[in-house]
């Protein structure tokens, strides 16, 4: 009987270890913001509802988005890719748009993620010089970042143009 109890305990321990190795998803439903993992580089949305940050939860470095009102993580399909290191997130007013630095071939690029469409767009393709520290305007039209293309770190502003769908709070007049 003692041997049976030992094997049951051993099987239970192995099962819990294997369950802990499942790194495919973050918790669904209510979950605490803080954890035992390294979380850094926070950015809060203009409406104060969302916080984006870089974390090594799930066994990989990734950008996470947390809904402070619902107290749960927001699914970001196609944002975090296995072959890419993502850093320095910045989010628009309702967190529709996220900008961040991504490096998949050793060269950093500034990318924009649209939560509505699930699309990732590289904003600095073909850009000369290194880029870092992007910041997006509340409406999502302008992206500020640092660049060294003149041999020193300067600030540049990228205007995504008048034809993008702006991130505005519900009920906000279109003409403003």
């Amino acid at each position: 009987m003692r041997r049976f109890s030992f094997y049951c305990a051993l099987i239970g321990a192995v099962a819990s270890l294997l369950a802990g190795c499942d790194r495919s998803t973050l918790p669904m439903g209510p979950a605490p913001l803080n954890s035992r993992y390294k979380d850094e580089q926070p950015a809060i949305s203009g409406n104060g509802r969302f916080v984006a940050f870089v974390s090594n939860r799930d066994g990989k470095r990734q950008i996470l988005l947390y809904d402070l009102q619902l107290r749960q993580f927001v699914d970001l399909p196609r944002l975090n890719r296995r072959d890419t290191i993502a850093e320095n997130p910045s989010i628009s007013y309702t967190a529709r748009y996220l900008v961040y630095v991504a490096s998949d071939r050793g060269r950093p690029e500034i990318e924009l993620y649209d939560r509505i469409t699930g699309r990732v767009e590289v904003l600095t393709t073909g850009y000369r010089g290194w880029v870092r520290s992007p910041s997006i305007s509340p409406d999502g039209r302008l992206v500020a970042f640092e660049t060294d293309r003149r041999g020193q770190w300067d600030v540049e502003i990228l205007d995504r143009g008048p034809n993008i769908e702006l991130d505005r709070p519900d009920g906000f007049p279109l003409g403003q």
Side-chain angles (χ1 to χ4, degrees), residues 67-80:
D67 186 326
L68 295 165
Q69 182 178 334
L70 298 177
R71 296 180 181 207
Q72 65 186 26
F73 289 95
V74 177
D75 190 28
L76 301 172
R78 294 184 291 284
L79 173 66
N80 294 300

Side-chain angles (χ1 to χ4, degrees), residues 133-173:
S133 305
S135 179
I136 194 163
S137 62
D139 66 5
R141 180 173 173 172
L142 303 174
V143 177
F145 59 95
E146 296 176 40
T147 177
D148 76 341
R149 87 176 169 164
R150 293 185 331 132
Q152 66 183 29
W153 288 107
D154 292 318
V155 174
E156 292 204 21
I157 308 293
L158 186 139
D159 186 344
R160 295 180 54 224
N163 297 326
I164 67 153
E165 188 172 334
L166 299 176
D167 185 357
R168 297 184 183 212
D170 290 340
F172 194 85

Side-chain angles (χ1 to χ4, degrees), residues 44-51 66-70 91 93-95:
I44 196 155
S45 63
N47 64 1
R49 180 173 175 176
F50 298 94
V51 63
Y66 187 80
D67 186 326
L68 295 165
Q69 182 178 334
L70 298 177
I91 50 182
Y93 187 80
T94 66

Side-chain angles (χ1 to χ4, degrees), residues 10-29:
L10 181 61
I11 289 170
V14 169
S16 67
L17 284 173
L18 291 175
C21 290
D22 181 17
R23 297 181 170 158
S24 59
T25 60
L26 288 168
M28 297 306 291

Side-chain angles (χ1 to χ4, degrees), residues 7-109:
Y7 286 122
C8 286
L10 181 61
I11 289 170
V14 169
S16 67
L17 284 173
L18 291 175
C21 290
D22 181 17
R23 297 181 170 158
S24 59
T25 60
L26 288 168
M28 297 306 291
L33 173 62
N34 292 310
S35 71
R36 63 184 177 94
Y37 298 97
K38 183 178 177 183
D39 298 328
E40 60 185 355
Q41 305 172 13
I44 196 155
S45 63
N47 64 1
R49 180 173 175 176
F50 298 94
V51 63
F53 58 97
V54 176
S55 178
N56 71 345
R57 297 176 200 208
D58 238 7
K60 58 187 180 256
R61 194 161 174 81
Q62 60 188 327
I63 293 177
L64 301 179
L65 185 64
Y66 187 80
D67 186 326
L68 295 165
Q69 182 178 334
L70 298 177
R71 296 180 181 207
Q72 65 186 26
F73 289 95
V74 177
D75 190 28
L76 301 172
R78 294 184 291 284
L79 173 66
N80 294 300
R81 300 180 310 271
R82 285 184 217 187
D83 60 342
T84 302
I85 298 170
E87 302 274 322
N88 303 113
S90 176
I91 50 182
S92 61
Y93 187 80
T94 66
R96 174 179 178 168
Y97 299 114
L98 288 88
V99 293
Y100 53 94
V101 174
S103 180
D104 61 355
R105 289 180 211 100
R107 184 164 183 81
E109 298 279 3

